[in-house]
Amino acid sequence: MIPVTEFQKRSLIGPPILKKHQFTLNFAHKVREIVAKYGIKYNPEFLIGDDATGELVFQAGADLLAEIGLYHTETRRVVQFSRQDISEIAKDAWEGPRQVIFGKGKDKVVVRARDPGDPRQPITFVSAGTPVSREELYIPYLLSFARESVCDGIYGHPLFIVHGIENKAGTIGEAAAAIAEMTYNKEIARMVGKPDMFLGLPGTNSITPTAIITCCSVAGLEPHQTQIPIHIMPEQQINWTRLQLAYYAEQKGFVPFTNAIGIVGAVCRGPEEATVACMANLIAQLGYGHGNIGGILIVDHTATRSSRETLWAAAVAHRATALHLGIPMGQTNVQSKAGACTEMALYEKAAEVLMLLGSGAGWYLAGGCRNGRGADTSSGLEARFIGEVAHAVATLKPKEANALLDKVLKVYENQLENAPEGKTFPQCYDVKTITPIPEYVSVYNRAKETLAKLGMNFK
C-alpha cells in the first residue's frame, strides 16, 4: 500500500506543467494513442462488456495513468505512478476484504462484489439525486425514497440555503448545510424504523475538508454511517483537498467514497476513450484513497448516462474492475434524462439497472431525473421501480441481459434528444401523505407492462 503521505511528496517534486491546459492537451493525445494501440472498439450491438474488452480497458487505463499521472492544480506538478505502483494498487484491492459493511445491528448491510447472474440482490442506496428547493421540503422529499422497502441506506440532497445562509463552498454556509442535511438524514432514518442505517456523505454538496470534518464532528458520525469523498474529477486532476480528505478518512477509519467518472464527447471523444480514462481515474483514487468499494460513472457532455455509448463504456469498465480489482462496484445515481412521472424516465433507469447487474455490480444509488438539473425533480416511486427491475433481472447472464437491454433501449433512445421534462416532486406526490398521485401510479404500471412484454420477468 502506498501511504497517502507519499502522494504529498510526489505532488511537490513531480514534473512541472505550469498551465493546466497543457496537461489536458497531453491527456487528450495520450488517451487517443493508447486506445488505438489496444484496438478498443465500441460495440453498439453488445453493450454488456465481455471479458476480452474488459482486459484491454484495464491495461489501457493502467498505461494511461503510468504515462500521464495526475495533475495537481495547486502545485502545478504531475503526480506520477509507475507500472509497479499500479500493480501494487490492484494487488491490494484483489487481496483485500472485497466487501464493506454499512449500518449496524438490524440495519447492517454487507456490500459485496457480484458476478453477472448472481441471484443476490445488489445493495440499494436511495437519493433524490437533485437538490431540494426549500428546507421544509427536505424531509418529505427524501422520506419518499427512504420509506420504500428497497432502501438499504440514504444519501441526502443538497440544500441551497440553511437558516438564511447560502450554501457556498469554503464558507460557513457549506458546513451549516452539511450539518443540517445529516441531522435531517438521522431523523428520516428514525422515522422509517432504521435508526442505524447508512446515512450517505457528510453533506451532499460539500467539497472542502473544513465542512466535511466539521459535519462529521458536530453530527457525531461513525464509520458505519458515512463515507468521506476523496474522488477526483475528470480528467485526472487533483488538489490538496482530495489528499487531506483521504488522510482524514484513513486516520478515522471511514470508508473513502471512490467514484471514477468518464465523459463522452468532451476531452474524451468517444466511449472507448471515456472508459479508458475512467479506469485510470479509478486506479489513481484507489492508490491514494485505499478504498475497497468504488463507483463507475460514465456520462456524455449533456450528463446523460442512459445512451448506448455511455452504457457500453460503463459496462466494459465494470468488467475491467471485476477482472483485476475484485471489489464491489456500483453507480452513483441511476438517473434519467427524462423527468419524473414519465414512462421514459422509468425505461432509462431499467436500462441502467440491466447494464449494472448484467456487468456484476454490487450496489447502486437509486434516484435522479432530468440529468440532475433543477430542484425537486425526482421521487421515491422511481427507487421502487428500480428495485423491482433489479429483482427481475438479477439472475440474467450477460447475453440474456444484453438482449433485453437492446429491446429496452429501442423503446426510448430516439427520444433522448427531446426527453420530456415531467413533473416535480410536489406535482407528482401528495407532500402531506408522501404518496404518489394516481397519474404517476398509472405511468408506473404502464411502464411495467411494457417491460414485461419485452421479457422482463417481474416477481
Side-chain angles (χ1 to χ4, degrees), residues 299-329:
V299 299
D300 68 14
H301 63 286
T302 69
T304 298
R305 60 201 72 186
S306 58
S307 69
R308 281 186 187 268
E309 290 188 335
T310 54
L311 290 169
W312 176 88
V316 295
H318 278 287
R319 293 315 304 149
T321 64
L323 292 169
H324 286 273
L325 303 175
I327 61 176
M329 298 296 295

Side-chain angles (χ1 to χ4, degrees), residues 47-373:
L47 300 178
I48 304 296
D50 60 276
D51 286 357
T53 306
E55 179 65 31
L56 293 176
V57 166
F58 185 85
Q59 298 302 336
D63 278 5
L64 181 61
L65 180 58
E67 297 191 38
I68 286 293
L70 298 177
Y71 183 64
H72 197 297
T73 59
E74 291 173 283
T75 66
R76 299 184 184 182
R77 289 181 180 270
V78 175
V79 181
Q80 294 181 302
F81 291 75
S82 68
R83 262 297 194 163
Q84 181 59 40
D85 289 334
I86 293 167
S87 296
E88 184 177 337
I89 292 165
K91 183 174 181 288
D92 287 341
W94 190 266
E95 295 180 352
R98 297 204 191 187
Q99 67 176 39
V100 174
I101 296 174
F102 289 124
K104 68 179 182 180
K106 68 179 180 61
D107 302 325
K108 180 179 75 174
V109 294
V110 183
V111 190
R112 298 184 176 91
R114 291 177 67 258
D115 290 321
D118 190 332
R120 293 177 301 176
Q121 290 294 298
I123 297 301
T124 303
F125 299 120
V126 299
S127 167
T130 53
V132 61
S133 60
R134 56 189 191 277
E135 192 172 354
E136 61 268 26
L137 200 58
Y138 189 103
I139 286 181
Y141 193 19
L142 188 54
L143 192 57
S144 76
F145 290 84
R147 68 193 304 179
E148 294 293 338
S149 61
V150 299
C151 172
D152 292 313
I154 57 177
Y155 280 75
H157 32 245
L159 284 163
F160 292 137
I161 296 177
V162 179
H163 309 311
I165 305 173
E166 184 182 0
N167 180 354
K168 187 175 181 181
T171 69
I172 295 172
E174 182 189 15
I179 294 166
E181 285 179 35
M182 197 54 72
T183 301
Y184 286 136
N185 289 0
K186 285 185 171 183
E187 176 62 22
I188 289 166
R190 287 192 290 268
M191 292 172 74
V192 298
K194 299 178 180 180
D196 293 316
M197 73 174 172
F198 178 68
L199 299 174
L201 299 177
T204 314
N205 211 36
S206 297
I207 60 173
T208 65
T210 299
I212 291 167
I213 294 171
T214 299
C215 179
C216 288
S217 175
V218 174
L221 297 178
E222 299 178 36
H224 73 274
Q225 294 175 301
T226 191
Q227 291 179 269
I228 302 299
I230 57 98
H231 51 305
I232 58 178
M233 295 301 289
E235 302 291 350
Q236 298 299 93
Q237 295 177 19
I238 195 171
N239 58 25
W240 288 125
T241 68
R242 303 302 92 191
L243 299 179
Q244 290 167 344
L245 288 169
Y247 185 72
Y248 173 72
E250 186 171 85
Q251 296 302 306
K252 298 290 288 185
F254 288 108
V255 177
F257 181 75
T258 304
N259 186 43
I261 302 173
I263 303 176
V264 177
V267 178
C268 295
R269 298 170 300 175
E272 303 95 337
E273 293 174 12
T275 193
V276 170
C278 190
M279 188 53 49
N281 186 311
L282 176 65
I283 298 169
Q285 288 183 53
L286 292 174
Y288 68 79
H290 307 154
N292 59 336
I293 182 174
I296 294 289
L297 180 60
I298 306 283
V299 299
D300 68 14
H301 63 286
T302 69
T304 298
R305 60 201 72 186
S306 58
S307 69
R308 281 186 187 268
E309 290 188 335
T310 54
L311 290 169
W312 176 88
V316 295
H318 278 287
R319 293 315 304 149
T321 64
L323 292 169
H324 286 273
L325 303 175
I327 61 176
M329 298 296 295
Q331 176 173 304
T332 51
N333 284 338
V334 175
Q335 194 169 90
S336 62
K337 188 171 187 179
C341 202
T342 68
E343 289 182 50
M344 181 179 168
L346 300 178
Y347 299 140
E348 288 180 81
K349 294 179 184 200
E352 291 172 51
V353 172
L354 266 166
M355 178 277 291
L356 287 166
L357 271 66
S359 302
W363 66 274
Y364 52 73
L365 180 56
C369 292
R370 296 186 191 172
N371 286 350
R373 292 184 297 103

